[in-house]
Amino acid sequence: SLYTQKIKMSRKKINYIKKVNIYKPEFPLWAMILFKTIFITFIICCAVVAVFSFVYVCTPVDGPSMLPTLNAQQYDEEGNLIEGSSNDSVYINRFGAADYGDIIVAKSPLDGKYVIKRLIAKEGDKIAVVAITNEIFPANRTYKVMLIKSGQSEVEILDEPYLEEGTSLYQTYYNFTNYRSLNPERFTQMDVGNYGQVYFLTLNDGEFFYLGDNREDSRDCAEYGPNTENNYVGRVDIIVHESENHFSQIFLYFWHLIFG
């Protein structure tokens, strides 16, 4: 019958498949594991090369403007350069958006040279550098950075733990005051309670404001005003001090980034 013929044909196909499978060589398990390991390693290496070719740029840091965060080993206690000392290096994320307190790299609007500084304020913010008089000893004045973030009214006096203890902001205050005298139209006078009348600089769209950690020896936005986004280069994600291994610092950075 037709039904019987179909069953016989199906059995023939099954037997043929079994015979073919008998003669098909099997790939050893160890070879499969080795191949997969090599392939995965190759993909990871390609990813690392791509990231550090197109996303990150490594560059040595020159100068004392970011002491003690960077290049601390290059200078003695009196601030003199130690001959033969090595520079720290940083890895710059060219696509990383910076937030308050991040270390960034930008082109200086003065001469187009690259500078590495600390981001203090962003577009729409109001910033001021003020002298605070000691009520008990009026001759003793301290200097602070005040910030009003965009869309807010609260005045924040910046706590800057990255500064070396005892750092004076007088030079920053002097530069900022001098910039105000040359550009009065950019400043707004505001009443800040116990601090009296304070002149705030308002950052326009696309502007940002940075300062060096070594406030006594840094050419930054306090001197020449806000920089613009077309001069922004990137955010510093990884700092490698001269005595440390680059690979270990990169590994630790991504380990903490992934696993916290």
Side-chain angles (χ1 to χ4, degrees):
S1 65
L2 182 61
Y3 177 73
T4 305
Q5 290 178 356
K6 287 183 177 181
I7 292 175
K8 290 180 179 180
M9 291 178 64
S10 299
R11 287 175 178 172
K12 287 181 180 180
K13 288 181 180 180
I14 292 171
N15 291 334
Y16 174 76
I17 292 171
K18 287 181 178 180
K19 288 179 181 179
V20 170
N21 287 338
I22 289 173
Y23 296 103
K24 183 180 179 181
E26 294 184 1
F27 210 63
L29 180 61
W30 66 267
M32 287 288 293
I33 295 173
L34 179 62
F35 174 77
K36 289 181 179 179
T37 303
I38 294 174
F39 179 75
I40 292 172
T41 304
F42 174 75
I43 294 297
I44 292 174
C45 290
C46 288
V48 171
V49 170
V51 166
F52 284 92
S53 296
F54 301 104
V55 178
Y56 284 95
V57 175
C58 179
T59 182
V61 179
D62 188 30
S65 70
M66 284 297 289
L67 292 173
T69 307
L70 297 168
N71 286 342
Q73 76 287 341
Q74 283 196 302
Y75 298 86
D76 59 25
E77 294 180 356
E78 297 178 355
N80 300 316
L81 181 65
I82 300 173
E83 187 177 351
S85 58
S86 301
N87 297 38
D88 291 337
S89 298
V90 294
Y91 284 86
I92 308 164
N93 184 344
R94 295 189 293 176
F95 302 98
D99 203 354
Y100 300 103
D102 286 342
I103 299 175
I104 63 170
V105 173
K107 289 183 180 179
S108 169
L110 293 180
D111 52 19
K113 293 182 178 180
Y114 292 103
V115 296
I116 181 167
K117 305 293 180 182
R118 180 89 55 178
L119 182 67
I120 302 297
K122 301 187 288 186
E123 61 179 16
D125 293 346
K126 295 180 175 64
I127 187 167
V129 183
V130 298
I132 301 174
T133 302
N134 189 312
E135 294 181 358
I136 301 176
F137 301 102
N140 295 337
R141 307 174 78 189
T142 57
Y143 305 90
K144 296 290 184 181
V145 178
M146 288 185 176
L147 179 67
I148 304 176
K149 293 181 180 178
S150 178
Q152 300 182 15
S153 58
E154 181 182 355
V155 178
E156 177 184 354
I157 299 178
L158 294 189
D159 176 27
E160 302 185 278
Y162 39 79
L163 300 183
E164 190 170 21
E165 187 176 354
T167 297
S168 172
L169 271 66
Y170 171 74
Q171 188 63 45
T172 303
Y173 171 77
Y174 174 84
N175 291 339
F176 191 80
T177 303
N178 186 58
Y179 177 78
R180 177 169 63 85
S181 67
L182 297 174
N183 303 272
E185 72 284 354
R186 294 214 54 174
F187 287 78
T188 304
Q189 190 176 19
M190 299 177 63
D191 183 23
V192 188
N194 296 333
Y195 301 104
Q197 298 295 316
V198 175
Y199 287 92
F200 282 90
L201 168 66
T202 301
L203 273 62
N204 299 323
D205 291 344
E207 290 185 334
F208 57 98
F209 189 98
Y210 51 72
L211 297 171
D213 287 0
N214 184 10
R215 301 290 162 82
E216 298 174 11
D217 189 10
S218 174
R219 301 195 69 182
D220 46 41
C221 291
E223 177 184 352
Y224 47 74
N227 208 334
T228 54
E229 60 184 5
N230 59 302
N231 285 329
Y232 177 76
V233 175
R235 181 188 69 218
V236 172
D237 282 352
I238 306 170
I239 297 174
V240 181
H241 297 291
E242 59 88 22
S243 60
E244 297 175 348
N245 178 271
H246 280 238
F247 176 79
S248 63
Q249 294 305 301
I250 293 169
F251 176 81
L252 287 174
Y253 170 76
F254 283 103
W255 178 271
H256 291 300
L257 189 67
I258 296 171
F259 300 104

